[in-house]
Amino acid sequence: MALKQISSNKCFGGLQKVFEHDSVELNCKMKFAIYLPPKAETGKCPALYWLSGLTCTEQNFISKSGYHQAASEHGLVVIAPDTSPRGCNIKGEDESWDFGTGAGFYVDATEDPWKTNYRMYSYVTKELPQLINANFPVDPQRMSIFGHSMGGHGALICTLKNPGKYKSVSAFAPICNPVLCPWGKKAFSGYLGTDQNKWKAYDATHLVNSYPGSQLDVLIDQGKDDQFLSDGQLLPDNFIAACTEKKIPVVFRLQEGYDHSYYFIATFITDHIRHHAKYLNA
């Protein structure tokens, strides 16, 4: 599958690149960002996937989070895809910021008119890793995932739906129980239809209940002054309760004074890179 390089910038001895390709799952052109650390010049490195939140592209994380130094030091290839298909000419795709363009919610849509393009779950868990493994110096056996908000939800569900696929998982302010929050209800009803039992297959809190085994170490950072926490969009307590019941270890850090922004992410990103490096470089 042909990759077209859009940009390349040297950063902490490595290269921050952006590529474009024709996606089979999404039936459109897609961009992804990839950071190749210095170690990638001499051998295969672990792959760490970042999933961004609502309205984001592949650019937000690479320009705002400040992750490059830690990724360079730990020898991690970091991949950041876009958050949805783009330019699919679906009626209503650009009408709201929390549904359609920039809001794929990391599900495989089953409803018209979304089901042909909006297959971000399969893109992130299958097509993109296959593309990365075939074209870059990564070790396919060493892969982890993390994300923010909608992308934190994505990271959690990708891990819980694929036991053993990812060595580690972490999240910043994830949408933990989307079947119960306004964002989730809007997205899931549009992409997955009105049968709420189908929604549970993409809800981290519900997926924990059917997760086999507890070989999982989850790190979550949450800003205490996050408006979406107080608005009931994130619902981390429900996820933590489910994990406690299943004896799945979760480190949940409520960070005093921090909000939902990339200032919050940039503050704690090095902790998350270290968390993943511990498992990926073991």
Side-chain angles (χ1 to χ4, degrees), residues 38-98:
K39 278 185 185 169
E41 291 175 24
T42 53
K44 292 193 171 183
C45 297
L48 176 57
Y49 288 81
W50 168 270
L51 303 182
S52 284
L54 290 163
T55 75
C56 288
T57 68
E58 80 288 343
Q59 287 293 322
N60 300 66
F61 179 68
I62 66 174
S63 59
K64 291 181 176 180
S65 71
Y67 79 91
H68 294 96
Q69 184 170 5
S72 174
E73 287 171 2
H74 290 285
L76 306 183
V77 171
V78 182
I79 303 100
D82 203 344
T83 54
S84 77
R86 301 223 172 232
C88 298
N89 298 314
I90 300 171
K91 189 181 178 193
E93 69 182 354
D94 295 322
E95 281 178 10
S96 55
W97 63 275
D98 55 0

Side-chain angles (χ1 to χ4, degrees), residues 1 21-30 117 123 127:
M1 193 177 296
H21 71 108
D22 290 313
S23 168
V24 176
E25 288 288 355
L26 308 178
N27 284 293
C28 68
K29 285 190 185 302
M30 288 295 285
N117 304 97
Y123 178 72
E127 182 180 3

Side-chain angles (χ1 to χ4, degrees), residues 38-251:
K39 278 185 185 169
E41 291 175 24
T42 53
K44 292 193 171 183
C45 297
L48 176 57
Y49 288 81
W50 168 270
L51 303 182
S52 284
L54 290 163
T55 75
C56 288
T57 68
E58 80 288 343
Q59 287 293 322
N60 300 66
F61 179 68
I62 66 174
S63 59
K64 291 181 176 180
S65 71
Y67 79 91
H68 294 96
Q69 184 170 5
S72 174
E73 287 171 2
H74 290 285
L76 306 183
V77 171
V78 182
I79 303 100
D82 203 344
T83 54
S84 77
R86 301 223 172 232
C88 298
N89 298 314
I90 300 171
K91 189 181 178 193
E93 69 182 354
D94 295 322
E95 281 178 10
S96 55
W97 63 275
D98 55 0
F99 184 78
T101 302
F105 263 87
Y106 305 103
V107 304
D108 284 351
T110 54
E111 299 300 296
D112 287 324
W114 309 100
K115 64 184 182 184
T116 306
N117 304 97
Y118 278 70
R119 297 180 50 79
M120 285 299 291
Y121 173 74
S122 286
Y123 178 72
V124 162
T125 58
K126 295 176 189 162
E127 182 180 3
L128 186 60
Q130 286 169 5
L131 192 67
I132 299 301
N133 295 345
N135 289 281
F136 299 98
V138 298
D139 177 354
Q141 303 306 312
R142 292 186 292 158
M143 179 163 74
S144 290
I145 193 164
F146 64 154
H148 170 232
S149 195
M150 176 183 74
H153 141 79
L156 293 173
I157 65 167
C158 288
T159 303
L160 292 166
K161 286 167 79 68
N162 298 279
K165 186 179 181 82
Y166 301 98
K167 298 286 186 194
S168 51
V169 62
S170 73
F172 293 86
I175 302 170
C176 290
N177 198 181
V179 303
L180 292 182
C181 80
W183 280 339
K185 288 177 183 176
K186 178 176 180 176
F188 286 4
S189 59
Y191 296 137
L192 304 172
T194 53
D195 180 358
Q196 297 196 12
N197 281 321
K198 289 182 183 172
W199 300 4
K200 293 176 184 176
Y202 294 104
D203 182 298
T205 299
H206 284 280
L207 287 168
V208 162
N209 295 323
S210 56
Y211 185 77
S214 59
Q215 276 22 130
L216 200 58
D217 178 7
V218 185
L219 170 63
I220 295 176
D221 272 314
Q222 171 64 61
K224 195 172 181 182
D225 286 4
D226 185 330
Q227 71 186 84
F228 301 115
L229 178 65
S230 50
D231 286 350
Q233 295 281 20
L234 308 178
L235 305 173
D237 293 349
N238 298 357
F239 179 72
I240 293 162
C243 287
T244 303
E245 199 168 305
K246 285 285 286 187
K247 296 185 169 55
I248 292 174
V250 180
V251 174

Side-chain angles (χ1 to χ4, degrees), residues 245-263:
E245 199 168 305
K246 285 285 286 187
K247 296 185 169 55
I248 292 174
V250 180
V251 174
F252 179 79
R253 308 191 305 185
L254 193 61
Q255 304 288 7
E256 189 78 39
Y258 286 92
D259 57 20
H260 199 71
S261 72
Y262 266 91
Y263 296 110

